[in-house]
Amino acid sequence: MAIILSLALFVASVVRTPATSTTATPSPTHSVSAAERAADRSRKAAERKERLLRQQQEREAKRHLAEAKSALTSKLNDARGLLTSSDGNVADPATRDALNTLITTDAALNSTNPDDWTSAVQPLQLAMDSVNASEAKKQQDDAAAAQRQAQADADAAKARAEEEQRQQDLRAAQQQAPAPQPQQDQSQQPMGTAHGGAFCTPEGARAQSDRSSRILTCRVAADGRLRWKL
Protein backbone atom coordinates (compact mmCIF):
# COMPACT_ATOMS: atom_id res chain seq x y z
CA MET A 1 0.00 0.00 0.00
CA ALA A 2 2.80 2.38 0.75
CA ILE A 3 4.52 1.50 -2.49
CA ILE A 4 1.44 2.30 -4.49
CA LEU A 5 1.07 5.67 -2.79
CA SER A 6 4.67 6.62 -3.53
CA LEU A 7 4.28 5.69 -7.19
CA ALA A 8 1.18 7.86 -7.49
CA LEU A 9 2.94 10.87 -6.00
CA PHE A 10 5.87 10.44 -8.47
CA VAL A 11 3.58 10.33 -11.46
CA ALA A 12 1.75 13.42 -10.30
CA SER A 13 4.98 15.32 -9.93
CA VAL A 14 6.10 14.36 -13.41
CA VAL A 15 2.86 15.61 -14.90
CA ARG A 16 3.12 18.99 -13.14
CA THR A 17 6.78 19.61 -14.26
CA PRO A 18 6.85 21.65 -17.64
CA ALA A 19 8.70 20.05 -20.55
CA THR A 20 12.09 21.49 -21.42
CA SER A 21 12.36 22.80 -25.06
CA THR A 22 14.83 20.89 -27.23
CA THR A 23 15.13 23.68 -29.91
CA ALA A 24 18.75 24.95 -30.13
CA THR A 25 19.35 28.70 -29.92
CA PRO A 26 21.77 29.99 -32.62
CA SER A 27 25.14 30.73 -31.20
CA PRO A 28 26.68 34.18 -31.52
CA THR A 29 29.57 32.69 -33.50
CA HIS A 30 27.22 31.18 -36.09
CA SER A 31 25.35 34.52 -36.65
CA VAL A 32 28.57 36.53 -37.26
CA SER A 33 29.86 34.11 -39.91
CA ALA A 34 26.63 34.41 -41.96
CA ALA A 35 26.82 38.24 -41.90
CA GLU A 36 30.42 38.16 -43.04
CA ARG A 37 29.56 35.86 -45.90
CA ALA A 38 26.73 38.15 -46.99
CA ALA A 39 29.02 41.20 -46.79
CA ASP A 40 31.70 39.37 -48.77
CA ARG A 41 29.22 38.52 -51.47
CA SER A 42 28.11 42.16 -51.70
CA ARG A 43 31.71 43.37 -51.83
CA LYS A 44 32.61 40.95 -54.60
CA ALA A 45 29.50 41.91 -56.57
CA ALA A 46 30.41 45.62 -56.28
CA GLU A 47 33.99 44.93 -57.33
CA ARG A 48 32.80 42.93 -60.33
CA LYS A 49 30.42 45.72 -61.31
CA GLU A 50 33.16 48.32 -60.95
CA ARG A 51 35.57 46.19 -62.99
CA LEU A 52 33.02 45.77 -65.78
CA LEU A 53 32.30 49.49 -65.77
CA ARG A 54 36.01 50.29 -65.92
CA GLN A 55 36.52 47.88 -68.80
CA GLN A 56 33.61 49.43 -70.66
CA GLN A 57 35.04 52.90 -70.08
CA GLU A 58 38.44 51.77 -71.32
CA ARG A 59 36.87 50.30 -74.45
CA GLU A 60 34.97 53.55 -75.04
CA ALA A 61 38.14 55.58 -74.52
CA LYS A 62 40.05 53.40 -76.98
CA ARG A 63 37.22 53.72 -79.50
CA HIS A 64 37.10 57.49 -79.12
CA LEU A 65 40.88 57.73 -79.46
CA ALA A 66 40.86 55.55 -82.57
CA GLU A 67 38.06 57.63 -84.12
CA ALA A 68 39.86 60.89 -83.31
CA LYS A 69 43.12 59.56 -84.77
CA SER A 70 41.31 58.36 -87.88
CA ALA A 71 39.61 61.73 -88.38
CA LEU A 72 42.87 63.67 -88.11
CA THR A 73 44.72 61.16 -90.30
CA SER A 74 42.06 61.50 -92.99
CA LYS A 75 42.22 65.28 -92.77
CA LEU A 76 46.03 65.17 -93.00
CA ASN A 77 45.80 63.10 -96.18
CA ASP A 78 43.42 65.67 -97.68
CA ALA A 79 45.73 68.50 -96.61
CA ARG A 80 48.78 66.86 -98.18
CA GLY A 81 46.90 66.37 -101.43
CA LEU A 82 45.82 70.01 -101.44
CA LEU A 83 49.36 71.17 -100.67
CA THR A 84 50.64 69.27 -103.71
CA SER A 85 47.91 70.31 -106.13
CA SER A 86 48.03 73.98 -105.12
CA ASP A 87 51.73 74.41 -105.88
CA GLY A 88 52.00 77.45 -108.15
CA ASN A 89 48.22 77.88 -108.20
CA VAL A 90 47.62 80.28 -105.31
CA ALA A 91 47.49 84.06 -105.24
CA ASP A 92 49.18 84.16 -101.82
CA PRO A 93 51.95 81.56 -101.25
CA ALA A 94 51.86 82.29 -97.50
CA THR A 95 48.64 80.24 -97.24
CA ARG A 96 50.50 77.13 -98.42
CA ASP A 97 53.34 77.81 -95.99
CA ALA A 98 50.87 77.95 -93.09
CA LEU A 99 49.22 74.71 -94.22
CA ASN A 100 52.57 72.97 -94.53
CA THR A 101 53.50 74.00 -90.98
CA LEU A 102 50.28 72.57 -89.56
CA ILE A 103 50.73 69.33 -91.49
CA THR A 104 54.19 68.88 -90.00
CA THR A 105 52.96 69.67 -86.48
CA ASP A 106 49.89 67.41 -86.61
CA ALA A 107 51.81 64.54 -88.18
CA ALA A 108 54.10 64.50 -85.13
CA LEU A 109 51.19 64.43 -82.63
CA ASN A 110 51.53 61.66 -80.02
CA SER A 111 48.79 61.69 -77.40
CA THR A 112 46.38 59.28 -75.73
CA ASN A 113 43.84 62.06 -75.23
CA PRO A 114 41.20 62.02 -77.97
CA ASP A 115 40.59 65.74 -77.45
CA ASP A 116 44.15 66.53 -78.59
CA TRP A 117 43.51 64.81 -81.90
CA THR A 118 40.03 66.27 -82.31
CA SER A 119 41.15 69.84 -81.55
CA ALA A 120 43.84 69.61 -84.27
CA VAL A 121 41.29 69.03 -87.04
CA GLN A 122 39.65 72.47 -87.05
CA PRO A 123 42.84 74.58 -87.46
CA LEU A 124 43.94 72.26 -90.25
CA GLN A 125 40.59 72.70 -92.00
CA LEU A 126 40.82 76.48 -91.68
CA ALA A 127 44.30 76.42 -93.25
CA MET A 128 42.94 74.30 -96.12
CA ASP A 129 40.07 76.77 -96.58
CA SER A 130 42.61 79.59 -96.88
CA VAL A 131 44.53 77.71 -99.57
CA ASN A 132 41.31 76.97 -101.46
CA ALA A 133 40.31 80.64 -101.29
CA SER A 134 43.76 81.66 -102.54
CA GLU A 135 43.42 79.21 -105.42
CA ALA A 136 40.05 80.71 -106.34
CA LYS A 137 41.53 84.21 -106.14
CA LYS A 138 44.35 83.27 -108.52
CA GLN A 139 41.87 81.75 -110.95
CA GLN A 140 39.89 84.98 -110.90
CA ASP A 141 43.06 87.05 -111.37
CA ASP A 142 44.21 84.83 -114.23
CA ALA A 143 40.80 85.03 -115.89
CA ALA A 144 40.78 88.82 -115.57
CA ALA A 145 44.33 89.04 -116.97
CA ALA A 146 43.40 86.76 -119.87
CA GLN A 147 40.36 88.91 -120.58
CA ARG A 148 42.48 92.06 -120.57
CA GLN A 149 45.02 90.44 -122.89
CA ALA A 150 42.27 89.26 -125.22
CA GLN A 151 40.85 92.79 -125.33
CA ALA A 152 44.30 94.23 -126.01
CA ASP A 153 44.84 91.70 -128.82
CA ALA A 154 41.44 92.52 -130.26
CA ASP A 155 42.18 96.26 -130.16
CA ALA A 156 45.55 95.72 -131.82
CA ALA A 157 43.98 93.54 -134.53
CA LYS A 158 41.32 96.19 -135.12
CA ALA A 159 43.97 98.90 -135.40
CA ARG A 160 45.95 96.81 -137.90
CA ALA A 161 42.81 96.14 -139.94
CA GLU A 162 41.95 99.83 -139.98
CA GLU A 163 45.49 100.74 -141.04
CA GLU A 164 45.43 98.14 -143.80
CA GLN A 165 42.07 99.48 -144.98
CA ARG A 166 43.42 103.02 -144.96
CA GLN A 167 46.41 101.93 -147.04
CA GLN A 168 44.14 100.12 -149.47
CA ASP A 169 41.90 103.17 -149.79
CA LEU A 170 44.96 105.34 -150.38
CA ARG A 171 46.28 103.06 -153.08
CA ALA A 172 42.87 102.93 -154.73
CA ALA A 173 42.63 106.73 -154.69
CA GLN A 174 46.09 107.02 -156.20
CA GLN A 175 45.16 104.57 -158.94
CA GLN A 176 41.98 106.53 -159.77
CA ALA A 177 43.72 109.96 -159.80
CA PRO A 178 44.65 111.27 -163.30
CA ALA A 179 48.31 111.08 -164.15
CA PRO A 180 50.08 114.48 -163.92
CA GLN A 181 50.77 116.07 -167.30
CA PRO A 182 54.44 116.75 -168.02
CA GLN A 183 55.34 120.40 -168.04
CA GLN A 184 56.31 121.76 -171.39
CA ASP A 185 59.68 123.30 -171.75
CA GLN A 186 59.25 127.03 -171.76
CA SER A 187 61.72 127.20 -174.58
CA GLN A 188 59.25 125.16 -176.66
CA GLN A 189 56.12 127.02 -175.55
CA PRO A 190 54.85 129.74 -177.87
CA MET A 191 55.97 133.13 -176.65
CA GLY A 192 53.98 136.34 -176.72
CA THR A 193 55.39 139.81 -177.13
CA ALA A 194 56.40 142.16 -174.35
CA HIS A 195 57.67 145.68 -173.99
CA GLY A 196 61.11 145.98 -172.53
CA GLY A 197 61.13 147.45 -169.02
CA ALA A 198 57.49 146.69 -168.40
CA PHE A 199 56.43 144.78 -165.30
CA CYS A 200 56.16 141.01 -165.72
CA THR A 201 55.47 137.73 -163.97
CA PRO A 202 56.49 135.06 -163.26
CA GLU A 203 60.21 135.34 -162.92
CA GLY A 204 61.94 133.47 -165.69
CA ALA A 205 59.16 133.92 -168.22
CA ARG A 206 60.26 134.77 -171.77
CA ALA A 207 58.66 136.91 -174.51
CA GLN A 208 59.63 138.47 -177.80
CA SER A 209 60.33 142.17 -177.78
CA ASP A 210 57.62 144.22 -179.43
CA ARG A 211 60.32 146.35 -180.97
CA SER A 212 62.57 143.69 -182.37
CA SER A 213 63.04 139.97 -182.72
CA ARG A 214 65.04 139.76 -179.58
CA ILE A 215 63.83 137.67 -176.58
CA LEU A 216 63.06 139.37 -173.32
CA THR A 217 63.22 137.60 -169.93
CA CYS A 218 61.20 138.44 -166.83
CA ARG A 219 63.70 139.10 -164.09
CA VAL A 220 64.42 141.38 -161.13
CA ALA A 221 65.39 144.88 -162.24
CA ALA A 222 67.49 147.46 -160.41
CA ASP A 223 64.41 148.70 -158.54
CA GLY A 224 63.86 145.22 -157.09
CA ARG A 225 60.76 144.50 -159.16
CA LEU A 226 60.22 142.02 -162.00
CA ARG A 227 60.54 143.61 -165.42
CA TRP A 228 61.04 142.45 -168.96
CA LYS A 229 64.75 142.69 -169.73
CA LEU A 230 67.12 141.54 -172.43
Side-chain angles (χ1 to χ4, degrees):
M1 187 65 178
I3 295 173
I4 295 172
L5 181 58
S6 297
L7 181 59
L9 292 173
F10 175 76
V11 171
S13 63
V14 169
V15 171
R16 287 193 300 268
T17 302
T20 303
S21 175
T22 60
T23 304
T25 302
S27 66
T29 304
H30 179 80
S31 298
V32 171
S33 297
E36 288 179 348
R37 286 194 296 272
D40 185 59
R41 286 194 297 271
S42 297
R43 178 179 57 79
K44 289 181 178 179
E47 290 177 350
R48 183 169 57 254
K49 183 178 180 180
E50 182 179 357
R51 183 171 59 255
L52 291 175
L53 179 60
R54 186 170 57 253
Q55 290 174 351
Q56 181 180 0
Q57 291 174 341
E58 290 175 353
R59 287 194 297 270
E60 287 295 317
K62 288 181 180 179
R63 182 176 65 82
H64 290 159
L65 180 60
E67 290 176 351
K69 285 184 175 181
S70 177
L72 182 58
T73 300
S74 177
K75 187 62 66 177
L76 279 171
N77 291 335
D78 294 341
R80 291 188 182 99
L82 178 60
L83 187 66
T84 299
S85 64
S86 62
D87 187 14
N89 296 321
V90 293
D92 183 8
T95 57
R96 295 185 68 257
D97 295 338
L99 178 60
N100 187 41
T101 299
L102 277 178
I103 290 175
T104 302
T105 301
D106 292 344
L109 181 61
N110 184 17
S111 173
T112 57
N113 187 352
D115 292 341
D116 293 339
W117 296 82
T118 301
S119 61
V121 173
Q122 185 63 20
L124 190 60
Q125 181 62 55
L126 291 176
M128 294 173 64
D129 292 343
S130 296
V131 173
N132 286 327
S134 188
E135 277 189 314
K137 179 65 166 56
K138 187 175 188 305
Q139 291 175 357
Q140 293 175 356
D141 292 345
D142 290 347
Q147 185 175 4
R148 289 192 298 270
Q149 185 60 48
Q151 184 62 48
D153 293 343
D155 292 343
K158 181 180 179 181
R160 288 194 299 270
E162 291 176 349
E163 178 61 20
E164 291 177 357
Q165 184 62 44
R166 190 183 69 82
Q167 293 294 336
Q168 290 178 0
D169 293 344
L170 181 60
R171 287 192 295 269
Q174 291 174 347
Q175 291 175 356
Q176 293 174 359
Q181 298 296 326
Q183 295 183 352
Q184 293 182 351
D185 189 354
Q186 291 184 350
S187 62
Q188 298 178 355
Q189 293 179 356
M191 293 182 296
T193 58
H195 183 74
F199 297 117
C200 64
T201 188
E203 184 178 4
R206 302 176 69 190
Q208 185 176 354
S209 174
D210 59 353
R211 296 181 179 179
S212 66
S213 59
R214 303 182 68 178
I215 301 302
L216 302 176
T217 302
C218 183
R219 54 189 176 183
V220 179
D223 60 2
R225 302 180 69 179
L226 292 176
R227 294 178 181 275
W228 288 110
K229 298 181 67 68
L230 291 175

